[in-house]
Amino acid sequence: MSIDEPTNTGQPPYKLLGGEAVVRRLVDTFYDQMDEDPDFFGIRNLHPPSLAASREKLYMFLTGWLGGPPLYTAEFGHPRLRARHLPFAIGEAERDQWVACMAKALEVVAIEPSMRRQLIASFAKTADWMRNREG
């Protein structure tokens, strides 16, 4: 299953997760953990002091990526994820921190276990593709 395509229920993951409110809660939980948990300070340091813009952009991106309204592309065009992240040194440690932070957020928000596994697998592939340095 591509993450933005309907599941075998005919519903996109966005709807199955609970739509706008749950995606917003997931993003807020993700960035709250990044801001508070020392395990994620490596990736926190790649962000500006205020996480407000990062929160909004991830919310907009995930909404469309999960099969909801294409908020990000409507405002910014094609995500060009790798190109937009090239200014930041992303290696295995950063990849692993990002995935672990998102996995923890998915758990805290109580995403259903099979959906959580699918999302973590998709996030892990994307995070690995974002690496732009060795190690």
Side-chain angles (χ1 to χ4, degrees):
M1 167 184 99
S2 168
I3 206 65
D4 62 352
E5 292 178 2
T7 62
N8 58 5
T9 66
Q11 295 289 318
Y14 178 79
K15 291 278 189 196
L16 294 174
L17 290 170
E20 177 183 348
V22 174
V23 175
R24 180 81 60 193
R25 194 164 68 240
L26 176 64
V27 169
D28 286 341
T29 302
F30 173 77
Y31 281 111
D32 289 349
Q33 290 173 162
M34 186 189 296
D35 216 18
E36 298 164 4
D37 188 329
D39 289 344
F40 308 126
F41 285 176
I43 56 172
R44 174 60 180 98
N45 290 333
L46 297 175
H47 291 76
S50 170
L51 292 171
S54 299
R55 285 175 193 262
E56 190 60 19
K57 285 181 180 178
L58 183 59
Y59 165 75
M60 294 170 75
F61 172 76
L62 286 182
T63 295
W65 186 72
L66 292 165
L71 304 175
Y72 188 93
T73 56
E75 185 161 335
F76 301 106
H78 190 282
R80 301 179 310 129
L81 288 180
R82 189 157 165 75
R84 292 183 197 271
H85 287 80
L86 279 176
F88 309 101
I90 301 172
E92 291 174 4
E94 293 78 16
R95 173 201 63 199
D96 294 349
Q97 281 184 35
W98 195 97
V99 173
C101 189
M102 183 55 78
K104 188 173 177 184
L106 288 163
E107 186 175 338
V108 168
V109 173
I111 301 303
E112 188 271 325
S114 66
M115 177 63 76
R116 188 167 61 226
R117 285 189 297 276
Q118 285 181 300
L119 291 172
I120 291 169
S122 292
F123 286 136
K125 281 186 204 176
T126 302
D128 190 58
W129 180 68
M130 301 297 280
R131 289 187 307 125
N132 56 29
R133 69 174 177 87
E134 293 296 317

